[in-house]
Amino acid sequence: MDELQDVQLTEIKPLLNDKNAARNFQDFDCQEHDIETAFGVVHVTMRGTPKGNRPVILTYHDIGLNHKSCFNAFFNFEDMQEITHHFAVCHVDAPGQQEGAPPFPSGYQYPSMDELAEMLPAVLTHLNLKSFIGIGLGAGAYVLSRCALSHPDLVEGLVLINVDPCAKGWIDWAASKFSGWTTNIVDIVLAHHFGHEELQANLDLIQTYRLHIAQDINQDNLQLFLTSYNSRKDLEIERPVVGVNEMTAKTLKCPALLVVGDNSPAVEAVVECNSRLDPTKTTLLKMADCGGLPQVVQVRHTLALPWHLRIEEPFFLLVLKLLSLFPQPGKLTEAFKYFVQGMGYMPAASMTRLMRSRSHSSSSVGSGESSRSRSHASTHGEGSAGTPEGIDLQAAPQTMEVSC
């Protein structure tokens, strides 16, 4: 048996038991669709059944990932089961990024980021869905933001992880061109997801993602998606100011939760996005001791895999097991519950994790009320009933730093 390295943990909450974890991992309750849109075919996976007039949770992944590697571990996390009991989940894979995707034909014109966003209304129409609460990471967060700007009636709320609202500057463009000549695409994608500290410290985790990106994602298709993201336009959003431009400012109309790890390479971009959004509807969640993928697992310790966790294992199963050791997604899950409660849903949801961390974290969260016509104000009292003292979802937004 290999020698283990001791790692101090502040909290351990196991995943679902092995039987249920295996069931969720294999997605027995999912239905897959290939949906034709004006900009090409998009692969979509529906998990669960839509609940009445409630929105679905719609996810969109980042470059180098697909919906499984980006979100399966998060949605299989034990605390998420309460949320998925109330909402169906719609996972969208960018064209050519899904598991087992065939290569595109020679000369194929990959959709722009704006066109990827325009595919989503067709997805909702095909599946007979009225609206969604979006969760996007990186490129996926950009796509969801663009969709919300163009179709505000379809988007009830957004959780934007590592979002960058800016176009790629010419210096960044030149740097990416140079790196493209000297570095393979896997290294470029890893540098997009992980900061320097993580790349040096979490070697086993980085190797897991390196193998996934290199072996499970079609490399030509990935290059097309990466090129599309690097060619994105500025979202051109601006913060509305009362008495100045509140009627003309281009901004998100729905509540938004911006999420970034304090060790993520996207910190500056997320802070910039926060400065451009309506402060009455936006919350910035900066997660302490967390890196580039807060919805999965981030630790600052060098991680020595126990003998029963082998890199040769299927990627998603390995990440699920890592989650049982380092449950960082529980922090994001709890914040998501607060966010959904602020929109008037799940008023009786249990809240425990952030209550335990309040003693050593800044714990003031803000979120704006939904602008939906049905008016969530009627559930305002219920929505805050299960919230720990000192955490007010309807108060003015502030940064919340969650320590773990």
Side-chain angles (χ1 to χ4, degrees):
M1 182 182 297
D2 296 342
E3 183 176 349
L4 302 183
Q5 176 178 345
D6 291 334
V7 178
Q8 183 178 359
L9 301 177
T10 59
E11 180 180 20
I12 296 178
K13 186 169 186 178
L15 285 170
L16 303 172
N17 60 53
D18 290 343
K19 180 179 179 180
N20 288 336
R23 176 181 178 277
N24 287 333
F25 165 69
Q26 295 182 42
D27 289 332
F28 288 153
D29 59 343
C30 292
Q31 294 183 336
E32 298 188 38
H33 306 265
D34 289 311
I35 300 175
E36 185 73 43
T37 76
F39 303 102
V41 177
V42 61
H43 184 82
V44 176
T45 303
M46 276 294 298
R47 181 175 178 176
T49 304
K51 310 297 193 295
N53 290 325
R54 287 192 174 189
V56 297
I57 296 174
L58 185 145
T59 73
Y60 212 113
H61 60 87
D62 203 354
I63 57 174
L65 305 171
N66 52 42
H67 88 266
K68 288 188 175 181
S69 55
C70 192
F71 293 111
N72 258 21
F74 177 60
F75 279 92
N76 284 341
F77 195 69
E78 183 180 18
D79 289 355
M80 278 298 293
Q81 304 310 301
E82 183 177 14
I83 295 175
T84 54
H85 177 73
H86 293 274
F87 297 93
V89 181
C90 177
H91 296 294
V92 179
D93 286 308
Q97 311 305 306
Q98 71 269 25
E99 196 174 59
F104 290 113
S106 177
Y108 173 80
Q109 181 65 44
Y110 199 84
S112 67
M113 297 300 287
D114 290 1
E115 291 170 340
L116 292 177
E118 287 301 316
M119 288 180 167
L120 297 182
V123 169
L124 296 184
T125 299
H126 180 88
L127 298 175
N128 196 29
L129 303 174
K130 295 181 179 180
S131 61
F132 67 84
I133 299 171
I135 304 179
L137 173 70
Y142 180 98
V143 170
L144 295 182
S145 299
R146 179 64 72 182
C147 180
L149 291 170
S150 301
H151 306 278
D153 55 317
L154 300 181
V155 186
E156 294 205 22
L158 289 176
V159 178
L160 304 174
I161 307 171
N162 298 345
V163 63
D164 188 345
C166 304
K168 198 175 184 68
W170 73 268
I171 295 178
D172 296 326
W173 179 86
S176 67
K177 284 293 184 182
F178 179 76
S179 64
W181 296 329
T182 60
T183 309
N184 64 51
I185 190 171
V186 176
D187 290 328
I188 294 173
V189 172
L190 287 174
H192 167 75
H193 288 304
F194 302 104
H196 178 74
E197 181 179 342
E198 287 181 283
L199 291 172
Q200 297 298 318
N202 295 338
L203 299 181
D204 290 306
L205 185 66
I206 299 303
Q207 181 65 5
T208 300
Y209 276 91
R210 178 182 296 279
L211 292 176
H212 166 64
I213 296 167
Q215 298 176 2
D216 299 334
I217 303 293
N218 184 291
Q219 300 296 282
D220 293 333
N221 294 358
L222 173 57
Q223 181 63 65
L224 291 173
F225 187 25
L226 174 61
T227 300
S228 179
Y229 180 61
N230 285 341
S231 302
R232 67 189 180 277
K233 302 176 183 177
D234 194 292
L235 287 177
E236 297 180 338
I237 52 178
E238 58 179 326
R239 171 163 289 189
V241 179
V242 177
V244 180
N245 66 343
E246 71 269 26
M247 301 301 296
T248 60
K250 179 182 179 182
T251 191
L252 295 177
K253 305 299 183 183
C254 63
L257 173 62
L258 308 186
V259 181
V260 68
D262 65 355
N263 196 37
S264 169
V267 170
E268 291 185 7
V270 175
V271 171
E272 169 66 18
C273 186
N274 182 62
S275 71
R276 296 191 189 186
L277 294 176
D278 185 345
T280 67
K281 296 184 177 181
T282 307
T283 300
L284 172 60
L285 171 60
K286 186 177 180 184
M287 301 180 69
D289 295 325
C290 182
L293 298 177
Q295 85 286 6
V296 184
V297 53
Q298 304 296 308
V299 291
R300 287 189 172 178
H301 310 283
T302 299
L303 173 62
L305 289 179
W307 65 273
H308 61 286
L309 300 185
R310 296 301 185 191
I311 294 298
E312 304 87 57
E313 290 198 75
F315 174 80
F316 315 114
L317 185 58
L318 179 58
V319 172
L320 282 172
K321 289 184 176 180
L322 284 170
L323 275 170
S324 67
L325 297 178
F326 303 95
Q328 183 70 29
K331 310 294 184 180
L332 181 56
T333 301
E334 190 107 346
F336 184 54
K337 285 183 183 179
Y338 288 130
F339 180 69
V340 172
Q341 277 195 331
M343 298 173 61
Y345 299 111
M346 297 178 60
S350 60
M351 302 293 171
T352 57
R353 193 179 299 269
L354 288 183
M355 291 178 69
R356 290 195 294 268
S357 67
R358 273 204 311 143
S359 61
H360 58 276
S361 66
S362 172
S363 56
S364 184
V365 187
S367 178
E369 296 185 27
S370 173
S371 58
R372 295 285 141 208
S373 59
R374 62 175 168 273
S375 179
H376 295 315
S378 61
T379 58
H380 176 95
E382 289 183 314
S384 59
T387 322
E389 180 184 358
I391 297 185
D392 181 7
L393 279 168
Q394 304 297 334
Q398 301 180 37
T399 298
M400 177 180 74
E401 296 190 7
V402 180
S403 300
C404 61

